[in-house]
């Protein structure tokens, strides 16, 4: 079945860039997503990329997709303390209702 | 409409009891999803509905679990004879039209603790 993997923890200083990585196994993935989860809150969609794209930029967020290696990354520029949260990579494929398969999440800690 | 609403937010129950959770999606959304999230893990898909039809169920959804969406609006997830392993956050999401990949909006979840 599908599998999505992420590193568990990342610590950065405020103002630095953060890069969160994700690998997936499903070659039929159509869309790949980044969600943010803060304590006590639901999942918030940050951005997504279609599988025929290599890069997508949205303000401070840059998503890079290497489809050959099945590797996805999320770069957050000028990381702020408010960016501290758990970040989930997720993928969906056509058919079967496009349900999401999530990674285990990367906890980002931003230090002053 | 303020988004996807789930009720209750927290539920503590004794092992062996039945529990029922409710999800109210965003009003015009025709698709509704249930996920389960355990501590330190990402959400795992349980089931989804398109309107009132339940189109897919995960193997995670044992026969003690049943979900309904009788009028194609709100949905309920019932767990019978709860076990300690059922303790988790149960998340609901809804979306309007997946073909154009509009966003799936998540509720804040119902946290179940089985003691």
């Amino acid at each position: 079945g599908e599998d999505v993997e992420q590193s568990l923890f990342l610590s950065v200083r405020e103002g630095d860039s953060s890069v969160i990585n994700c690998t997936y196994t499903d070659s039929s993935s159509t869309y790949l997503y980044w969600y943010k989860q803060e304590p006590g809150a639901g999942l918030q969609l940050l951005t997504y990329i279609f599988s025929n794209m290599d890069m997508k930029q949205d303000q401070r967020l840059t998503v890079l997709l290497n489809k050959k290696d099945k590797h996805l990354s999320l770069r957050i520029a000028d990381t702020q303390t408010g960016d501290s949260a758990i970040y989930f990579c997720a993928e969906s494929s056509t058919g079967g209702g496009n349900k999401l398969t999530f990674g285990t999440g990367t906890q980002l800690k931003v230090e002053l | 409409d303020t988004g996807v609403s789930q009720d209750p937010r927290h539920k503590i129950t004794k092992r062996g009891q039945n529990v029922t959770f409710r999800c109210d999606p965003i009003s015009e959304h025709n698709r509704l999803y249930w996920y389960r999230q355990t501590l330190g893990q990402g959400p795992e898909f349980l089931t989804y509905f398109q309107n009132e039809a339940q189109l897919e169920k995960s193997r995670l959804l044992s026969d003690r679990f049943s979900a309904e969406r009788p009028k194609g609006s709100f949905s309920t997830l019932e767990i019978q004879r709860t076990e300690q392993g059922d303790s988790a956050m149960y998340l609901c999401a809804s979306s309007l039209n997946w073909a154009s990949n509009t966003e799936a909006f998540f509720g804040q979840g119902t946290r179940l603790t089985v003691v």
Side-chain angles (χ1 to χ4, degrees):
Chain A
E2 306 92 349
D3 192 25
V4 180
E5 294 189 356
Q6 302 178 236
S7 53
L8 292 180
F9 190 76
L10 176 65
S11 178
V12 298
R13 288 187 179 276
E14 188 178 39
D16 288 349
S17 293
S18 308
V19 179
I20 303 171
N21 294 301
C22 168
T23 57
Y24 61 97
T25 58
D26 188 359
S27 57
S28 66
S29 294
T30 309
Y31 290 96
L32 295 124
Y33 305 83
W34 285 104
Y35 280 85
K36 178 182 180 182
Q37 188 175 43
E38 295 176 277
L43 289 159
Q44 175 194 354
L45 178 65
L46 291 176
T47 186
Y48 67 91
I49 189 168
F50 189 52
S51 59
N52 67 355
M53 298 170 64
D54 298 324
M55 186 183 87
K56 182 177 180 181
Q57 188 156 2
D58 184 1
Q59 299 183 343
R60 293 190 299 122
L61 306 179
T62 302
V63 178
L64 295 178
L65 174 61
N66 181 329
K67 195 174 181 182
K68 174 176 170 289
D69 294 340
K70 298 189 182 68
H71 182 268
L72 183 74
S73 68
L74 173 70
R75 178 177 180 270
I76 305 172
D78 187 25
T79 314
Q80 302 297 306
T81 54
D83 295 323
S84 293
I86 301 176
Y87 290 80
F88 291 97
C89 169
E91 63 89 22
S92 70
S93 56
T94 53
N98 299 109
K99 62 184 183 289
L100 297 170
T101 300
F102 286 85
T104 51
T106 298
Q107 181 160 3
L108 174 64
K109 183 178 178 183
V110 182
E111 298 175 328
L112 296 173
Chain B
D1 193 342
T2 57
V4 178
S5 176
Q6 292 188 246
D7 183 69
R9 293 289 308 279
H10 304 274
K11 177 72 177 178
I12 300 174
T13 191
K14 290 185 178 179
R15 191 173 53 185
Q17 297 293 305
N18 299 343
V19 294
T20 300
F21 311 140
R22 177 178 171 125
C23 171
D24 286 273
I26 294 172
S27 57
E28 67 270 23
H29 283 188
N30 59 348
R31 286 200 171 181
L32 186 148
Y33 304 80
W34 285 99
Y35 289 83
R36 180 174 68 188
Q37 185 177 21
T38 53
L39 202 61
Q41 300 296 316
E44 296 172 297
F45 170 79
L46 293 179
T47 188
Y48 93 96
F49 293 83
Q50 176 151 313
N51 301 314
E52 67 276 7
Q54 187 174 18
L55 296 187
E56 186 174 348
K57 293 197 299 185
S58 163
R59 286 169 293 182
L60 293 175
L61 212 66
S62 78
D63 56 8
R64 296 185 296 106
F65 287 68
S66 61
E68 294 182 344
R69 195 183 183 197
K71 297 180 181 178
S73 56
F74 74 91
S75 175
T76 58
L77 177 68
E78 181 184 15
I79 309 174
Q80 296 182 325
R81 306 181 302 282
T82 52
E83 301 173 357
Q84 286 189 320
D86 297 331
S87 295
M89 176 78 84
Y90 290 84
L91 295 166
C92 176
S94 70
S95 66
L96 176 59
N97 181 353
W98 198 265
S100 60
N101 197 50
T102 54
E103 178 177 353
F105 291 83
F106 280 80
Q108 293 186 299
T110 295
R111 182 170 293 285
L112 173 66
T113 302
V114 181
V115 298

